[in-house]
Amino acid sequence: MAQAQASKFKNPVVNWIDSRLPIFTMLDHEYNHYPMPRNVNYLWAFGAIAGIMLVVMIATGLFLAMQYSSHTSLAFDSVERIMRDVNYGWLLRYVHANGASMFFIAVYIHMFRGLYYGSYKAPREILWILGVIIFLVMMGTAFMGYVLPWGQMSFWGATVITNLFSAFPIVGDPIVTLLWGGFSVDNPTLNRFFALHFLLPFVLLGLVILHTAALHVCGSNNPLGIEPKGPQDTVPFNPYVTIKDGFAVVVFFIVFAAFVFFMPNYMGHPDNYIPANPLVTPAHIVPEWYFLPFYAILRAIPDKLGGVIAMFGSIALLIVLPWLDTSKVRSCKFRPIYRQFFWILAVDAMVLGYAGAMPAEGAWLIIARVGTFYYFFHFLVLLPVLGKIERPRPLPNSISESVLKGGGHIAAGAHAKPMEKA
Amino acid sequence: MRALKTAILSAALALGIAGAAQAAEGVHIPKQSWPHAGIFGTIDKASAQRGFQIYKEVCSTCHAMHLVPIRTLAGIGFTEDELKALASGYEVQAGPNDAGEMFMRPGVPADRFPSPFPNDQAARAANGGALPPDLSLMAKARVGGEDYIHAFLTGFEEAPAGVTVMPGMNYNKYFPGHQVGMPNILMPDGVTFADGTKATVEQQAHDIATFLTFAAEPHLDARKQMGVKVILFLIVLAGLMYAVKRKMWSTLH
Amino acid sequence: MAQTTHPPGTGGHAASGDGATRRDFLYLATGAVGVVGAASAAWPFIDSMNPARDTLALASIDVDLAPVAEGQAITVTWRGKPVFVRHRNAKEIEEAKAVNLGDLRDPVADDARVKKPEWLIVIGICTHLGCVPLGQKVTDPRGDFDGWFCPCHGSHYDTAGRIRKGPAPANLVVPTYAFTGDTKIRLG
């Protein structure tokens, strides 16, 4: 892999800067030569895709902010002005609105990939925890962004979610009043949500940089979950992974574009095209789809405080996940029992999501409770116990050995012959 | 392939859940076929113009459309002169003048359609307590969209036996709760179309729904046209990148 | 991409000349298509900052001049800017015509600045740094030349709105307008 002297650059200006501030050496080291396990599959592209989505969201958001008015009497109409009168305003808004969903899709796939291949295990705990924090900040950002158009769902979503904090004894009500800046969700709330919605993406950007820095300390995990033993096990990030991720990004954009141009309101809710009305709650209030599993957990618990704690807890336990999983083997490929439960968890998340969209009554409530139980059971009981009792299949000696034997029936999507189709 | 399976599952998760959210609303609304549906669909301008005529002659006595500027109609084939003539037929409040008073002036295409009532309270007072909703976004603000508008407008009928319709209310098959303040307002030949189209109730409902779709999404045609180009471009780029990727990786041993 | 990149795809074994050409072409084509895509994607962002349709739709307005008596002036707002409309009296017209063009910093004859001699219509923004000059009200200082005086940096304009004294480099701008009736104009 032609490892040239990394600090020598042909361009004299670059050299001059680099000898004083070695950013080019750093970039070269972290991006160009960063060794990627050669067996990573296309699921590893979703980190890059999520990163690109963050950039898309910041760019469209910035230009939308130039046209938006964060006042309750103007917000809804200013969004419609963007849709009707601003040049390509409809495009920017639909990209931003659907982009939020696409960002979550990318991040969810990224997270489930981490779960499947055990990417959170030592020495990548901090990497994983930073990821969970990114996820939390993303949720906050998305929630506040959804409030800005000041439609019915915006208003009632804001009301319901901020009211979650009222569940806490004593401090609850003062916290809610503080969040609102008044006695209900109103103009001060909208203004601060706009300010925070503008700030948080940049916080996210900082967190993503930390996330990447942490990644580059221990290197990327891979479908086998064993560490690369030398250069024969890796490829330099550029150009091999650049082009591969780039291809994945473009394919992802095709799906993204299909939503933006042909069903831009599919993932939204019609009620948000009705201006906010503090006197009338829509018949069905549902959060955006990416919150639904957590919303289902909230509603599954028949106690206000309990529900709130369960919902926050369902995310918080991801932080301690590296210590809940006691297995020494990372990848599900070599964990025959855990692999079954992984898929049960995936289905469970979907069922919870579906239950979250349904009225909280009758069978759906029961389903949501079963789903919630399994979710916590999976992380708090199954993971610690399985790690002790499961007998993992033997691990290959090295990545290159496994790749050269071609020995895989599954998952090694990225050896010399890439996926034949799709 | 596991990778693919996961990706598909995740996509299904996203779509399924969004679908669930839609399905949760209940009332079954019959689907119509629309020229503006589908990837290459465009707004049927003649239909939208007829729809506007009905809006102007019938709906606008109660319903505002305050987000739509008159000039928007250029998108369904109104010429500049027609727009000016149309706009000058509306009275728009302006002012204050030098005496500090508001006054009425003839509209210009840049004006938005004037609302029939000065405020919601006045609208309620004139309509027996019911508020006729603004129609600017109607095609996007109801589950079912234009199909719902069509269904609603053709859905007035006698209340089934056993259902007591409250005074001042009317029975509608598709309205959530079935009792609605708005009466059945579309009559066969209630309007006369300049292009000779027969003004059946069905036709009128279809035309209004088309017009309101346009009013809610004036850039619908431009959006779809751009979408086709963007996706074709991305497919070409993806193909090229895949070829490059294969070439590069093929030299690894 | 940083400088030391190994040529993409070099794996040690040199490909034959023909293969290399085809490969280079593929790389170039892909790069070119990608650049075209990125550039096209940038345009909607940039264009969104241009005046929107509602702004453009209001770009022309009608003004009725009938109520403006001789010697009076009105200010109307057009595209967010003040437009000065002055109904000039005979003396002011005379002053404007009498000027020797050679003495002017920005020489334009009075005829070229009005469509009807009694109506002077200019954008009321000083060509120096954008302040609004005084002189619309009868009580305002009108400068040394009976036109307008800009208080920010002391520019004096005459009765044809031409710069006569002070730092401003050019005459007050005459907007695009047309008489649609005897005393009706359309700006824009």
Side-chain angles (χ1 to χ4, degrees):
Chain A
M1 314 288 125
Q3 300 282 18
Q5 259 73 25
S7 56
K8 277 282 168 270
F9 297 92
K10 281 183 206 135
N11 187 324
V13 178
V14 170
N15 243 342
W16 186 89
I17 296 173
D18 198 69
S19 54
R20 286 152 182 83
L21 180 70
I23 45 173
F24 295 100
T25 302
M26 193 200 87
L27 281 177
D28 190 51
H29 179 72
E30 298 295 334
Y31 169 69
N32 239 351
H33 297 293
Y34 173 66
M36 250 337 241
R38 60 163 57 196
N39 61 332
V40 296
N41 58 35
Y42 274 103
L43 287 175
W44 262 261
F46 282 91
I49 290 172
I52 296 274
M53 283 315 299
L54 177 60
V55 173
V56 168
M57 295 305 280
I58 289 179
T60 49
L62 175 68
F63 283 82
L64 287 169
M66 293 179 190
Q67 312 282 357
Y68 170 76
S69 303
S70 63
H71 188 281
T72 50
S73 63
L74 301 171
F76 189 88
D77 287 11
S78 75
V79 170
E80 274 307 307
R81 181 179 168 273
I82 291 172
M83 293 296 290
R84 292 161 189 273
D85 288 338
V86 173
N87 303 317
Y88 297 107
W90 59 268
L91 177 62
L92 295 179
R93 174 162 178 261
Y94 277 154
V95 167
H96 198 72
N98 287 285
S101 286
M102 298 308 287
F103 194 5
F104 271 98
I105 289 175
V107 165
Y108 277 132
I109 296 176
H110 189 62
M111 289 169 75
F112 272 99
R113 188 270 287 158
L115 283 175
Y116 187 84
Y117 295 110
S119 301
Y120 47 83
K121 292 185 197 182
R124 296 188 179 83
E125 299 96 326
I126 296 209
L127 173 62
W128 172 263
I129 291 169
L130 280 166
V132 176
I133 295 171
I134 288 174
F135 179 55
L136 279 170
V137 176
M138 251 180 92
M139 292 174 98
T141 312
F143 159 65
M144 284 188 265
Y146 196 56
V147 175
L148 302 186
W150 208 241
Q152 275 288 66
M153 279 295 166
S154 301
F155 181 88
W156 291 101
T159 302
V160 168
I161 301 298
T162 47
N163 263 319
L164 289 180
F165 292 91
S166 71
F168 297 109
I170 305 164
V171 291
D173 285 326
I175 288 180
V176 174
T177 310
L178 185 79
L179 286 174
W180 288 343
F183 304 104
S184 64
V185 173
D186 207 337
N187 197 49
T189 326
L190 178 61
N191 261 305
R192 65 191 55 184
F193 277 21
F194 181 47
L196 291 172
H197 184 69
F198 204 111
L199 168 73
L200 289 181
F202 296 96
V203 173
L204 273 177
L205 198 61
L207 286 166
V208 167
I209 290 170
L210 285 180
H211 190 63
T212 317
L215 170 70
H216 284 215
V217 171
C218 37
S220 300
N221 187 25
N222 63 76
L224 295 173
I226 54 176
E227 296 295 333
K229 296 214 162 62
Q232 74 280 9
D233 288 348
T234 64
V235 292
F237 192 91
N238 193 42
Y240 297 101
V241 187
T242 312
I243 186 70
K244 191 174 170 183
D245 282 0
F247 168 66
V249 166
V250 174
V251 171
F252 189 78
F253 274 11
I254 292 175
V255 180
F256 187 10
F259 276 109
V260 167
F261 292 105
F262 299 114
M263 35 186 182
N265 294 305
Y266 186 77
M267 292 189 277
H269 196 288
D271 277 310
N272 226 26
Y273 281 110
I274 302 172
N277 180 353
L279 303 180
V280 181
T281 310
H284 261 104
I285 62 164
V286 276
E288 291 286 80
W289 68 265
Y290 35 80
F291 293 135
L292 286 174
F294 304 102
Y295 192 59
I297 292 176
L298 169 76
R299 299 191 307 180
I301 312 288
D303 172 75
K304 188 172 173 182
L305 181 58
V308 172
I309 290 174
M311 187 184 71
F312 287 126
S314 66
I315 302 166
L317 65 75
L318 293 177
I319 291 177
V320 291
L321 174 64
W323 296 277
L324 289 174
D325 187 347
T326 49
S327 173
K328 294 280 176 288
V329 174
R330 290 197 190 109
S331 175
C332 266
K333 270 182 88 167
F334 306 105
R335 299 185 62 189
I337 305 176
Y338 175 63
R339 189 161 70 214
Q340 311 301 323
F341 286 108
F342 170 86
W343 288 109
I344 293 175
L345 179 74
V347 170
D348 184 53
M350 265 183 264
V351 168
L352 276 174
Y354 203 88
M358 291 293 145
E361 54 199 30
W364 286 114
L365 192 55
I366 298 179
I367 291 171
R369 284 183 182 156
V370 174
T372 302
F373 172 78
Y374 179 76
Y375 183 92
F376 286 98
F377 177 75
H378 179 96
F379 285 108
L380 296 176
V381 180
L382 265 178
L383 272 176
V385 172
L386 262 185
K388 303 273 186 230
I389 60 172
E390 183 181 38
R391 265 200 61 203
R393 288 173 32 213
L395 295 175
N397 287 326
S398 76
I399 293 171
S400 53
E401 182 181 273
S402 165
V403 169
L404 288 177
K405 274 196 204 140
H409 25 281
I410 38 168
H415 42 93
K417 277 261 172 60
M419 345 168 49
E420 276 76 27
K421 53 192 194 108
Chain B
M1 189 156 251
R2 197 42 64 77
L4 208 61
K5 195 163 119 201
T6 318
I8 290 165
L9 269 175
S10 316
L13 164 80
L15 297 184
I17 284 169
Q22 309 278 314
E25 306 292 326
V27 196
H28 175 72
I29 295 153
K31 294 251 182 251
Q32 308 293 323
S33 99
W34 302 102
H36 57 256
I39 291 176
F40 299 102
T42 53
I43 294 279
D44 176 351
K45 290 184 181 174
S47 170
Q49 289 202 11
R50 291 192 298 270
F52 170 66
Q53 186 189 341
I54 305 165
Y55 167 75
K56 188 165 175 272
E57 293 176 12
V58 183
C59 319
S60 67
T61 49
C62 297
H63 290 276
M65 203 161 61
H66 86 286
L67 293 168
V68 183
I70 298 169
R71 62 188 154 80
T72 309
L73 299 184
I76 52 171
F78 279 72
T79 65
E80 199 175 331
D81 289 335
E82 286 170 339
L83 286 177
K84 277 181 190 159
L86 173 71
S88 62
Y90 288 104
E91 292 267 279
V92 178
Q93 195 181 46
N97 62 13
D98 296 342
E101 282 154 5
M102 305 305 278
F103 59 95
M104 302 305 279
R105 62 161 172 82
V108 294
D111 290 318
R112 293 166 175 205
F113 283 105
S115 302
F117 302 105
N119 51 54
D120 285 0
Q121 284 76 4
R124 282 185 191 280
N127 288 285
L131 177 65
D134 189 282
L135 297 183
S136 316
L137 286 164
M138 191 49 74
K140 292 199 284 189
R142 294 292 181 275
V143 175
E146 56 268 54
D147 289 326
Y148 170 76
I149 295 173
H150 180 277
F152 174 78
L153 289 174
T154 55
F156 288 95
E157 57 182 29
E158 286 299 311
V163 175
T164 325
V165 178
M166 286 185 293
M169 300 299 260
N170 305 279
Y171 188 86
N172 188 300
K173 225 182 335 180
Y174 299 107
F175 188 74
H178 299 308
Q179 302 206 17
V180 60
M182 177 174 151
N184 183 10
I185 199 146
L186 296 184
M187 297 299 147
D189 296 315
V191 289
T192 311
F193 292 130
D195 62 4
T197 307
K198 180 137 178 54
T200 61
V201 169
E202 178 72 24
Q203 181 69 40
Q204 293 181 57
H206 177 88
D207 291 344
I208 293 175
T210 304
F211 171 66
L212 291 181
T213 303
F214 167 77
E217 190 87 9
H219 301 297
L220 184 140
D221 291 358
R223 165 161 64 78
K224 290 188 175 176
Q225 281 156 16
M226 187 191 284
V228 171
K229 286 183 213 153
V230 167
I231 288 185
L232 283 179
F233 173 86
L234 287 172
I235 288 172
V236 169
L237 182 59
L240 281 169
M241 290 186 83
Y242 187 62
V244 171
K245 191 252 163 195
R246 278 193 72 121
K247 271 234 147 67
M248 274 181 190
W249 282 72
S250 69
T251 55
L252 285 174
H253 35 84
Chain C
M1 314 274 144
Q3 289 15 52
T4 57
T5 338
H6 16 245
T10 30
H13 27 219
S16 71
D18 193 32
T21 318
R22 210 171 33 205
R23 197 176 55 210
D24 288 348
F25 174 75
L26 181 62
Y27 294 166
L28 277 175
T30 309
V33 172
V35 167
V36 167
S40 324
W43 175 244
F45 290 91
I46 297 163
D47 196 33
S48 78
M49 294 172 75
N50 276 321
R53 284 174 196 80
D54 56 339
T55 312
L56 293 173
L58 288 170
S60 69
I61 57 165
D62 292 308
V63 185
D64 184 8
L65 304 180
V68 189
E70 194 174 288
Q72 281 189 337
I74 57 164
T75 307
V76 294
T77 313
W78 177 62
R79 292 184 178 170
K81 294 185 273 200
V83 172
F84 292 165
V85 180
R86 187 183 283 194
H87 194 165
R88 300 193 293 186
N89 58 31
K91 175 174 160 284
E92 287 169 332
I93 298 173
E94 201 42 51
E95 276 178 17
K97 284 190 191 300
V99 176
N100 175 8
L101 289 190
D103 297 346
L104 295 175
R105 184 176 301 166
D106 181 5
V108 183
D110 184 55
D111 312 3
R113 292 180 55 81
V114 292
K115 289 202 161 70
K116 291 187 180 180
E118 63 270 35
W119 295 107
L120 174 67
I121 296 159
V122 291
I123 293 177
I125 291 182
C126 181
T127 55
H128 181 220
L129 291 171
C131 296
V132 177
L134 297 172
Q136 286 293 90
K137 279 188 279 190
V138 280
T139 51
D140 279 350
R142 288 188 162 181
D144 296 351
F145 301 90
D146 287 340
W148 288 272
F149 170 70
C150 182
C152 291
H153 308 96
S155 292
H156 298 252
Y157 296 90
D158 67 12
T159 55
R162 293 172 297 200
I163 180 65
R164 299 295 288 274
K165 187 178 160 190
N171 301 331
L172 293 179
V173 174
V174 178
T176 324
Y177 69 95
F179 276 89
T180 51
D182 256 3
T183 53
K184 283 186 194 301
I185 56 165
R186 166 162 301 160
L187 281 164

